[in-house]
Amino acid sequence: MTDVLAPVMDRIEQRTDDLVQLTRDLIRFPTINPPGDAYRPCAEYIGDRLKARGFQIEYVRAHGAPGDTDQFPRINIMARWEGSRPGPCVHFNSHIDVVETGSGWTVDPFEGVVRDGRVYGRGACDMKGGLASSIIAVEALIDSGLDLPGALEISGTVDEESGGYGGVAYLAERGWFSKPRVDHVIIPEPLNVDRVCIGHRGVWWAEIETKGRIAHGSMPFLGDSAIRHMNAVMQTFEDKLYPAMAARHSDMPVVPEGARQSTMNINSIHGGQGEDFEGLPAPCVADSSRMVIDRRFLIEEQLDDVKGEIVALLDGLVNTRPEFAYQIRDLFEVAPSMADRDGPVASATAQAVERVLGRKAQFVCSPGTYDQKHIDRIGKLKDCIAYGPGILDLAHQPDEWVGIDDMVSAAKVMARATWSLLHGVR
């Protein structure tokens, strides 16, 4: 059979140097979040490029979103290209923000160093390499002259690394990720080039505070140590909560294997006198201790039950431990999300992976959340998956990199999947 997309595949291959340079250019914008540096120039760079290909460009500032200020405006780029006749819309959504660099780098994190078939830099893997692949894929389709019904959209959104509230959540609340405007969404997160990510676990962040009574450190019996109460919380979690979570396993194809059970990370513990002083601390019994928990839960679990389990353990300490008192405060919560692996976007992408790479795609779910949560829960659009180049384990690491061959392969997969979705091919 004649492959109608062979010219598109050739165009992508021929534009490897352009793909690499585009990735390097994107890395060179230090879009660190927090605080939200360089969002506007990065968005405008993307907009200028896509406008030259006939895209309609809109810049949307998330006024009032967390972190949005005149110094650090939350600027999102939304680009749309109309096809030859009415049809579905395929949208590629990438976040342009990156986390801090941290220590341990052997290359300049914002230079976009090319070495040994890789592009290095903060955001190379997560996820500017994926953004570049999606742009090259869409440009190759447009430039091919093939009949393209419907519409193509590309967005560069902000604040994914801090919850997405100045980016996809803000836009979804205003209809940018809902039908009839958009039908299918691909998010080029780095889940490996042969994987189709159909969802993610849920998350609940909370702060637990134990209460005590201050007294002189030489006479601790006259006070009540909030830190010792927090130790009792820790021991209760070790004895009861962690074993219970370890016994729960999900049918979600979460990777890595260890994330197919319920998990909880203790993000931080603070108690007593703060550390922002010079010299020796004052001799006081701690009257407050605070713990931040990061609870990841499965699609088989209900959020109310997840919260209730921890509250029940804390209430048990109230009833059994003298003078134990606590407060708990919600910080952040997201329900699990999972698209249908037989749905249009998942199946089209999986078929494209097999055609390009010569092996079947693996369907996976992410251990952490990403912006699919907002497209699903706020936009009410279920046909959304993550697919992109890059190795997830490299995200947020020093010397982060993305493979050039993987970016080329991902662009080919994206182009094939887009063609199938626009033409309704299953």
Side-chain angles (χ1 to χ4, degrees):
M1 283 181 62
T2 301
D3 181 8
V4 69
L5 291 179
V8 178
M9 301 298 103
D10 290 342
R11 284 177 181 272
I12 291 172
E13 195 77 40
Q14 292 163 8
R15 294 181 181 180
T16 299
D17 289 346
D18 186 16
L19 174 55
V20 170
Q21 189 58 51
L22 174 56
T23 305
R24 297 182 72 197
D25 289 346
L26 292 168
I27 289 170
R28 287 169 176 170
F29 291 100
T31 49
I32 299 172
N33 174 33
D37 284 324
Y39 283 177
R40 184 185 296 277
C42 186
E44 290 176 348
Y45 171 85
I46 297 166
D48 289 344
R49 176 169 179 133
L50 294 176
K51 186 176 182 180
R53 280 302 200 292
F55 280 78
Q56 295 178 332
I57 306 300
E58 292 190 58
Y59 299 102
V60 183
R61 177 175 171 180
H63 289 282
D68 178 66
T69 64
D70 289 340
Q71 183 180 3
F72 300 109
R74 269 42 195 170
I75 303 294
N76 301 278
I77 164 70
M78 305 294 290
R80 182 178 178 93
W81 183 88
E82 299 287 352
S84 58
R85 61 184 186 278
C89 173
V90 179
H91 184 115
F92 287 94
N93 165 248
S94 298
H95 67 84
I96 62 173
D97 61 313
V98 302
V99 297
E100 63 180 320
T101 56
S103 60
W105 287 79
T106 65
V107 297
D108 185 331
F110 295 111
E111 179 58 29
V113 171
V114 178
R115 188 173 65 200
D116 300 327
R118 301 170 176 177
V119 183
Y120 288 83
R122 177 54 84 225
C125 164
D126 184 18
M127 56 183 292
K128 290 177 177 178
L131 171 57
S133 290
S134 69
I135 291 173
I136 293 294
V138 168
E139 288 178 346
L141 280 170
I142 293 172
D143 294 348
S144 71
L146 293 171
D147 177 52
L148 299 175
L152 299 170
E153 288 190 345
I154 292 178
S155 60
T157 53
V158 303
D159 286 4
E160 189 275 344
E161 298 291 2
S162 55
Y165 296 103
V168 171
Y170 184 91
L171 294 161
E173 289 169 351
R174 289 153 180 80
W176 289 89
F177 288 99
S178 299
K179 290 187 175 184
R181 179 186 178 91
V182 177
D183 297 278
H184 315 287
V185 177
I186 297 174
I187 303 176
E189 289 277 7
L191 274 301
N192 297 12
V193 75
D194 59 352
R195 289 173 167 179
V196 177
C197 183
I198 55 176
H200 55 73
R201 294 191 298 173
V203 57
W204 173 48
W205 282 53
E207 181 186 73
I208 299 168
E209 182 181 9
T210 52
K211 304 289 189 177
R213 187 172 63 257
I214 195 168
H216 198 289
S218 67
M219 298 173 286
F221 45 84
L222 297 179
D224 183 34
S225 174
I227 295 174
R228 292 185 64 185
H229 287 313
M230 186 62 78
N231 180 64
V233 173
M234 290 277 290
Q235 193 61 54
T236 299
F237 286 169
E238 291 290 341
D239 294 342
K240 297 180 180 180
L241 180 61
Y242 283 106
M245 291 190 299
R248 299 174 195 149
H249 295 272
S250 179
D251 289 333
M252 296 178 79
V254 186
V255 290
E257 182 70 28
R260 293 194 181 183
Q261 68 176 50
S262 299
T263 61
M264 188 177 78
N265 176 55
I266 296 175
N267 177 277
S268 60
I269 293 181
H270 300 279
Q273 188 165 350
E275 298 176 359
D276 56 343
F277 62 88
E278 296 182 3
L280 296 173
C284 293
V285 174
D287 62 358
S288 173
S289 182
R290 296 177 308 283
M291 170 196 293
V292 174
I293 59 171
D294 177 356
R295 175 74 164 86
R296 305 293 170 137
F297 60 99
L298 311 174
I299 203 165
E300 292 85 357
E301 296 180 287
Q302 298 298 315
L303 178 58
D304 286 346
D305 294 336
V306 169
K307 293 182 177 183
E309 181 177 39
I310 287 180
V311 168
L313 293 174
L314 296 172
D315 286 345
L317 288 170
V318 171
N319 295 327
T320 59
R321 183 176 174 85
E323 298 189 72
F324 182 87
Y326 77 92
Q327 288 184 341
I328 188 166
R329 180 168 66 94
D330 289 338
L331 300 177
F332 177 64
E333 60 189 48
V334 172
S337 177
M338 188 162 68
D340 182 359
R341 70 174 64 196
D342 296 320
V345 72
S347 59
T349 306
Q351 290 166 15
V353 167
E354 186 170 3
R355 184 68 181 269
V356 171
L357 299 179
R359 58 184 182 271
K360 287 188 177 297
Q362 179 185 4
F363 288 100
V364 300
C365 288
S366 172
T369 68
Y370 55 95
D371 277 334
Q372 181 174 341
K373 59 183 176 282
H374 299 311
I375 294 168
D376 179 1
R377 303 299 177 183
I378 301 175
K380 309 299 182 185
L381 185 65
K382 297 291 185 181
D383 205 43
C384 173
I385 57 105
Y387 171 78
I391 300 170
L392 183 60
D393 294 354
L394 299 175
H396 301 191
Q397 294 285 338
D399 286 354
E400 177 186 348
W401 58 267
V402 63
I404 294 171
D405 288 346
D406 281 353
M407 287 196 294
V408 172
S409 294
K412 292 178 178 179
V413 169
M414 293 170 181
R416 285 193 175 278
T418 299
W419 169 267
S420 297
L421 291 165
L422 291 177
H423 289 84
V425 177
R426 296 295 298 273

